[in-house]
Each structure stands twice: as C-alpha cells, then as structure tokens.
C-alpha cells in the first residue's frame, strides 16, 4: 500500500477526484457524494450557479456570462479553488457541520499511478482547504482492487484495469503492492471523440452536445459486438448549413472508429504482461483481468480484450465506484493485511 492500513483507519473521509465524477465516502455513513466533476460559474460576479449533474446538463446550453468548468482533469486537480467550492456544495451544509466537529479531520484520496508530485500536492491542498488536517494518498489501482474484492494482500497475481474518462491504468498486484503497471492517456473521452470525429468527417454531422455519451446514441446498445443492427439513425446538426439533420450511420464503421484508440489499451496490456515475472503471469491465466471504472461499461469492450489477449476478462459489480469503496473499506478496517511471521534465528 502507499500508506499503512493503520494510518488509513484513522481517516474520517475518503475522496476520489475523477475527471468524470467526484465521489466522497464518510466513515460510518457510506458513500454520500457521487456527482459529475462539473461546476457552472457566473463570470460577471464569480458566483457558483450549479454543480454536479445540474451543471453537466448546462454544457453547451449556457449564455455568454455562464461558464461550465471541469476543475479536475485526468485525476489531477487543475483548479484547486474551484474544486474546493464544488466539493463544499456537493457535501451540503449538514454534512460539513458534522465534519467540522472532528478536532483533527483526516482524509484519504486516490491518486493516479505515477502521478507527479505537483499533482499529488494539488490533491492534498484541495482537501486541506476543506478542513483536513492530514491527507493520506493511496494509489487508485490498489484502492480499486480492494473495492472490487480482489485478494490484494495474498501472494498471488491479480490484474486490474481502471478505465477512466481521461486515462486507462493497468497493473499486476501481489502482496499488497504493484508489481508492474502502465498508464495510458486513452479513456472514455478519447473513445467519444473518435465517434464524434467519425460522424463529422464521414457524414458532416455534429452531435448536439459533447457531454452526451455519443456511444449510447451511435451504437444504440450494439456496442463493439459484430451482431446487431447494421445501421442506426443519428440526429445532429449539419456542418455546412447548421440545420438539424438525421443520417443513417453504419455501425460497423463506428466500431472501426472505436477500435483505433482501444488498440493503445491492448498494447499497454501486452507491455504489462511482458514486464511481469513468469510465475505471476501463470496465475493470471486463471484469474484473468478485472475491469473497473466508468468506461469499463462500454458494450463489448470486455469481449474485445478476451479476443486480443486470450485471458478471462470480467467487469466488477460496481465498476464506477470501486476506487472510493476500496478506500472506504480501508477506513472502516475491513481489510486485514497478510501477517508474516519472521523466521526466528536458530541458535547453534
């Protein structure tokens, strides 16, 4: 682990600052916040108009004096002050009063694998500004593995893939630590942009809003599978005239557009396996890969990985909240470390 379990048991709240969603877990209460990491600001007076789901609905629909911002990008806080204001409003006044009663509030936060010190400092300063006296940082890969029930502390290999909005993180874990890992700058946003670019270049069509998941519109439940409807109807705006227009889109062409960014993910899996010791790779042949994160729910993504790697692939029960639930389990003391009895020296 990044920090000891004893230190995490002293924490009161756990925070997962994701590019797509912000989630907060309070010890003894459970998951209290699960909202998009979006805020709407009035640029005239600087006041906060909306946060979370309501602010996300405003994307692309606001007048000039209202700006929709995302203070978190790729798991890194890029605007500390706005992130603090957003989290305060998401927590609510009642919960904030309860947290203020704690004399020495401790917090735990997820950090992406191989995040630089400046990114870690930004996460710490964000929570310190909310009243935390001490902040413990835990690698997202370990927290997600604990949250989806993998035997992280055992001397066996477990492979996890965190599919986020901005990045995809892949790692092999054993004995509570990361054996080898890879971070790829391809996530759900890159997949969405691939579909948007395909519709723009091939059909001269722009979608109404990039905040709407274009995969749900374009694939219509077909996903990456080869079976299903051969075409689907898409409504958008004509690039040349600006008028509303509907076109029939070939789902096979959309699948090819999606495969392009996903090839980087498959290459990352191959690199992790090549850097992994052979004994652990043998364990992975039976256990396979566990997918977590919001982008893991992309239809057919798991089957594509099975075909490319030949390994079993499963999606966690609640893939989008695995990381914060893993932190919460550590806070509650539900995770017991593997106790190793040191061998006593034999006196001659």
């Amino acid at each position: 682990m990044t920090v000891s379990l004893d230190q995490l048991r002293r924490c009161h709240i756990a925070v997962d600052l994701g590019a797509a969603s912000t989630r907060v877990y309070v010890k003894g209460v459970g998951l209290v916040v699960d909202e998009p990491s979006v805020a709407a600001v009035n640029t005239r007076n600087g006041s906060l108009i909306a946060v979370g789901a309501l602010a996300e609905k405003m994307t692309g629909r606001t007048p000039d004096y209202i700006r929709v911002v995302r203070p978190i990008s790729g798991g890194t806080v890029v605007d500390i002050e706005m992130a603090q204001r957003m989290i305060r409003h998401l927590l609510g006044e009642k919960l904030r009063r309860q947290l203020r009663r704690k004399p020495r509030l401790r917090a735990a936060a997820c950090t992406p694998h191989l995040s630089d010190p400046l990114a870690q400092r930004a996460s710490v300063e964000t929570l310190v500004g909310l009243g935390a006296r001490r902040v413990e940082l835990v690698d997202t890969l370990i927290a997600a593995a604990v949250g989806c029930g993998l035997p992280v502390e055992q001397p066996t290999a477990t492979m996890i893939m965190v599919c986020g909005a901005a990045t995809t993180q892949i790692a092999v874990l054993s004995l509570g630590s990361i054996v080898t890992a890879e971070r790829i700058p391809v996530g759900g946003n890159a997949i969405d942009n691939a579909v948007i670019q395909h519709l723009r270049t091939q059909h001269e069509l722009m979608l109404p809003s990039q905040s709407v998941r274009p995969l749900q519109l374009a694939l219509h439940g077909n996903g990456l599978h080869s079976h299903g409807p051969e075409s689907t109807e898409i409504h958008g705006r004509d690039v040349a005239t600006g008028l509303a227009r509907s076109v029939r889109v070939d789902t096979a062409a959309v699948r090819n557009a999606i495969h392009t960014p996903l090839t980087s993910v498959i290459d990352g899996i191959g690199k992790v396996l090549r850097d992994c010791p052979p004994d652990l790779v043998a364990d992975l042949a039976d256990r396979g890969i566990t997918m977590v994160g919001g982008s893991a729910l992309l239809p057919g993504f798991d089957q594509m990985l099975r075909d490319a790697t030949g390994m079993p692939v499963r999606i966690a029960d609640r893939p989008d909240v695995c990381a914060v639930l893993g932190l919460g389990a550590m806070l509650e003391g539900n995770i017991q470390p593997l106790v190793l009895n040191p061998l006593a020296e034999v006196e001659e």
Side-chain angles (χ1 to χ4, degrees):
M1 301 286 184
T2 308
V3 294
S4 67
L5 290 175
D6 291 335
Q7 291 175 312
L8 291 174
R9 290 192 189 101
R10 300 190 186 102
C11 296
H12 304 94
I13 62 172
V15 183
D16 180 14
L17 300 173
S21 299
T22 296
R23 301 175 178 92
V24 180
Y25 184 102
V26 177
K27 187 176 183 179
V29 179
L31 187 63
V32 296
V33 173
D34 185 5
E35 293 282 340
S37 304
V38 188
V41 186
N42 188 331
T43 57
R44 294 175 179 174
N45 52 23
S47 62
L48 203 61
I49 298 176
V51 295
L54 180 58
E56 190 175 40
K57 292 180 181 178
M58 296 181 181
T59 304
R61 298 179 173 90
T62 59
D64 294 338
Y65 66 93
I66 297 179
R67 184 167 58 97
V68 178
V69 296
R70 293 182 176 270
I72 304 168
S73 175
T76 302
V77 180
V78 294
D79 189 339
I80 296 176
E81 181 183 358
M82 186 57 62
Q84 292 174 349
R85 296 175 65 184
M86 179 186 70
I87 297 174
R88 285 195 193 99
H89 282 76
L90 290 176
L91 288 174
E93 182 61 31
K94 181 180 178 181
L95 188 56
R96 291 205 307 272
R97 284 200 303 266
Q98 293 177 358
L99 296 177
R100 278 198 295 265
R101 295 194 188 105
K102 301 184 183 299
R104 290 189 58 83
L105 180 66
R106 291 182 176 227
C110 294
T111 57
H113 183 65
L114 296 178
S115 57
D116 57 86
L118 289 178
Q120 297 179 9
R121 184 180 179 88
S123 299
V124 172
E125 290 186 359
T126 300
L127 298 181
V128 168
L130 295 173
R133 297 294 184 266
R134 183 182 176 91
V135 180
E136 308 290 355
L137 300 179
V138 180
D139 198 299
T140 303
L141 291 165
I142 296 179
V146 172
C148 63
L150 294 178
V152 180
E153 296 291 341
Q154 299 300 318
T156 57
T158 54
M159 189 170 188
I160 188 168
M161 184 168 70
V162 180
C163 308
T167 60
T168 298
Q169 304 173 64
I170 309 165
V172 174
L173 309 177
S174 180
L175 288 174
S177 300
I178 297 175
V179 179
T180 177
E182 189 74 14
R183 185 180 176 188
I184 305 164
V186 173
N189 293 340
I191 299 172
D192 291 354
N193 292 334
V195 177
I196 292 173
Q197 190 65 26
H198 170 76
L199 295 176
R200 185 183 180 94
T201 56
Q202 300 297 325
H203 301 278
E204 297 184 351
L205 188 75
M206 294 182 65
L207 292 180
S209 174
Q210 292 193 13
S211 65
V212 179
R213 293 282 296 182
L215 297 175
Q216 299 176 2
L217 299 175
L219 301 179
H220 201 60
N222 188 29
L224 300 179
H225 300 291
S226 57
H227 60 273
E230 295 182 357
S231 62
T232 185
E233 189 173 7
I234 298 296
H235 306 281
R237 191 186 75 182
D238 190 275
V239 175
T241 64
L243 302 177
R245 184 165 63 93
S246 300
V247 297
R248 298 292 299 185
V249 178
D250 183 15
T251 54
V254 176
R255 284 198 302 272
N256 293 334
I258 292 176
H259 275 279
T260 302
L262 292 183
T263 52
S264 301
V265 178
I266 297 175
D267 293 341
I269 294 176
K271 186 177 186 304
V272 170
L273 293 176
R274 287 193 298 270
D275 296 340
C276 188
D279 292 340
L280 295 181
V281 175
D283 293 342
L284 295 175
D286 298 329
R287 294 180 177 273
I289 305 172
T290 302
M291 299 175 62
V292 301
S295 300
L297 299 174
L298 175 64
F301 192 12
D302 54 343
Q303 185 60 44
M304 177 185 174
L305 294 180
R306 290 190 194 99
D307 297 339
T309 62
M311 299 170 58
V313 179
R314 76 176 185 93
I315 302 176
D317 294 335
R318 301 178 63 185
D320 50 343
V321 294
C322 279
V324 70
L325 291 182
L327 276 181
M330 297 178 195
L331 265 61
E332 302 286 358
N334 298 332
I335 307 301
Q336 299 298 328
L338 178 65
V339 178
L340 298 176
N341 294 323
L343 297 176
E345 295 184 0
V346 180
E347 297 182 0
E348 296 182 357

